[in-house]
Amino acid sequence: MSGRALAVLRERDFRRFFIGQSASLLGDGMVGVALAFAVLDLTGSPADLGYVLAARTIPMIAGLPAGGVLADRLPRRWIMVAADLARFVGQGTMAALLIGGHAAIWELAVCQAVHGMSAALFSPASTGLIPAIVSGEHLQQANALRGLALSIGRIGGPVLSGLLVATVGPGWAIAADAATFAISAIMLARLRPPAHRPAPAQSFVRDLREGWTEFSSRTWVWTLVVAASLTNLLFAAFYVLGPAATALASGGPATWAAIQAVLGVGALIGGLIALRLHPRRPLRIGVSALALSSLSTLGLAAHLPVVPMAGLALLGGIGMTLFNTYMETSIQHRVPDKALSRVSAYDWFGSYACQPIGQATAGPLGAGLGIHPALWLAGTLQLLVALATLAVPAIRHLPAGTPDSPILAHDEP
């Protein structure tokens, strides 16, 4: 990888931010395995695991609009520090309960609710902070490196967590996750971003309305969010029905684990590509890449052997990372700083709002239609969503942003 592609790491504040984010994203990658075995060790009930996961997801989604308002009113760095410290305390408490052998399901659910509410504060503030600590020409590199860190966390986190769960227990894996939030908080506290300039004081509801106006007035923004939301809804079938689909074929769990690993490798490659590829029409490339994410689901539907299936999963991982990088960079370049966190909050909210619906309905759909017909349906609809999004002129023609680009009222080409 050339030094030019990593030039953003020469910027001190982003380097510190990236170190903290890399640590916490690795910790996030550890939670899935550790939490699953912690709950199963306590009750043996998959339903209880679902309740604990929902206790994190629901507060996160519900809290995002408020998180966006606060991040446009208050210094974003300190919001992120507070969110990381809250997650450090929440995950640390859960680890202590598990290690001590006194945990109850409701206590784990409360700790995960703290995690979810903290994430609702952290994410919009993070999107708004990056343009303040990174020079404009390096903004895409910064987002690509975050995508790389996320991919590495998704690959390495489960491996590290599995080793800890197998040797010392899930509580210690959760403790390691808590420590990563402390590292992130320390790195964030050492940043020296420009002074935050909040908008004039006004009511919370008016802040929400102004953020919605900034969001809804840009066709390309809300179109991307609708596409991301529907993609997350439909791609849930891959995760819910995928284990059953591979169990029906040769390989079973080993095949499913291999597909998951290759998907993560594809996301890693997508981040490397985004470090170097700066297209004139980034959303045209990003949405075209989003179409690749449907290939993983369609490959399972077609009963493909593991090697070609892994190839499709690789392409799917690449596509999702390119889409996310170009989408986030375009928003950061073209939305005014005073509203950036609120627009980002609506982005996060909309993108993930339908995911629980997909998770809840994929199983019944597979039971009613059959696993492979349900996968064909989900994968085909996912591909059509990407193609329909690409047909929108505002998506195809929006030029790459630059630090000197004028920001138009509706930002349409």
Side-chain angles (χ1 to χ4, degrees), residues 31-223:
V31 172
V33 173
L35 191 59
F37 281 97
V39 172
L40 293 176
D41 285 348
L42 285 175
T43 68
S45 170
D48 285 339
L49 177 59
Y51 299 146
V52 173
L53 293 175
R56 178 176 63 189
T57 303
I58 293 172
M60 182 193 72
I61 294 175
L64 280 167
V69 170
L70 291 175
D72 280 336
R73 285 184 175 184
L74 305 173
R76 290 161 177 152
R77 172 174 59 124
W78 293 115
I79 289 176
M80 295 164 68
V81 169
D84 272 341
L85 290 176
R87 287 186 284 188
F88 167 71
V89 172
Q91 296 299 87
T93 300
M94 184 164 67
L97 290 169
L98 291 170
I99 293 169
H102 304 296
I105 291 298
W106 72 267
E107 292 171 327
L108 302 188
V110 170
C111 291
Q112 288 306 289
V114 170
H115 191 297
M117 288 184 287
S118 300
L121 295 175
F122 188 96
S123 296
S126 175
T127 300
L129 178 70
I130 290 177
I133 61 173
V134 174
S135 55
E137 66 271 19
H138 293 149
L139 191 54
Q140 183 178 310
Q141 292 178 0
N143 288 320
L145 283 172
R146 286 186 71 200
L148 280 174
L150 176 62
S151 301
I152 293 171
R154 286 176 174 173
I155 297 170
V159 174
L160 180 58
S161 183
L163 290 173
L164 290 173
V165 169
T167 55
V168 292
W172 291 102
I174 299 294
D177 176 44
T180 67
F181 289 116
I183 294 171
S184 178
I186 291 169
M187 290 294 105
L188 288 168
R190 297 182 65 195
L191 301 185
R192 295 296 179 266
H196 182 69
R197 298 178 181 179
Q202 57 188 9
S203 73
F204 186 85
V205 172
R206 187 170 179 180
D207 271 339
L208 282 176
R209 288 175 177 170
E210 285 189 0
W212 176 254
T213 299
E214 294 283 355
F215 173 84
S216 61
S217 65
R218 292 170 169 83
T219 301
W220 62 272
V221 174
W222 63 257
T223 300

Side-chain angles (χ1 to χ4, degrees), residues 203-400:
S203 73
F204 186 85
V205 172
R206 187 170 179 180
D207 271 339
L208 282 176
R209 288 175 177 170
E210 285 189 0
W212 176 254
T213 299
E214 294 283 355
F215 173 84
S216 61
S217 65
R218 292 170 169 83
T219 301
W220 62 272
V221 174
W222 63 257
T223 300
L224 288 174
V225 172
V226 170
S229 188
L230 293 175
T231 297
N232 284 330
L233 183 152
L234 295 166
F235 197 61
F238 173 82
Y239 286 108
V240 174
L241 302 179
T246 54
L248 296 175
S250 60
T255 298
W256 181 241
I259 292 170
Q260 292 292 291
V262 173
L263 190 71
V265 172
L268 186 65
I269 294 172
L272 295 173
I273 294 171
L275 277 174
R276 302 182 64 93
L277 182 63
H278 297 265
R280 293 179 58 194
R281 298 287 188 268
L283 297 184
R284 184 183 301 180
I285 300 299
V287 175
S288 298
L290 181 65
L292 297 177
S293 66
S294 65
L295 298 179
S296 303
T297 306
L298 293 172
L300 286 175
H303 302 261
L304 291 182
V306 66
V307 173
M309 182 62 228
L312 295 181
L314 187 76
L315 292 174
I318 292 172
M320 286 186 286
T321 299
L322 289 177
F323 172 76
N324 289 333
T325 300
Y326 292 137
M327 176 180 175
E328 187 162 14
T329 302
S330 296
I331 290 173
Q332 289 168 336
H333 269 308
R334 294 185 171 275
V335 174
D337 178 74
K338 66 179 183 180
L340 181 53
S341 289
R342 279 171 288 171
V343 171
S344 172
Y346 283 118
D347 168 17
W348 284 94
F349 179 88
S351 295
Y352 285 101
C354 289
Q355 190 175 57
I357 299 173
Q359 292 168 335
T361 58
L365 185 67
L369 297 180
I371 290 174
H372 291 95
L375 287 168
W376 275 118
L377 178 62
T380 301
L381 290 176
Q382 195 176 330
L383 177 60
L384 292 175
V385 165
L387 296 177
T389 304
L390 194 59
V392 177
I395 297 293
R396 292 199 315 275
H397 301 311
L398 191 80

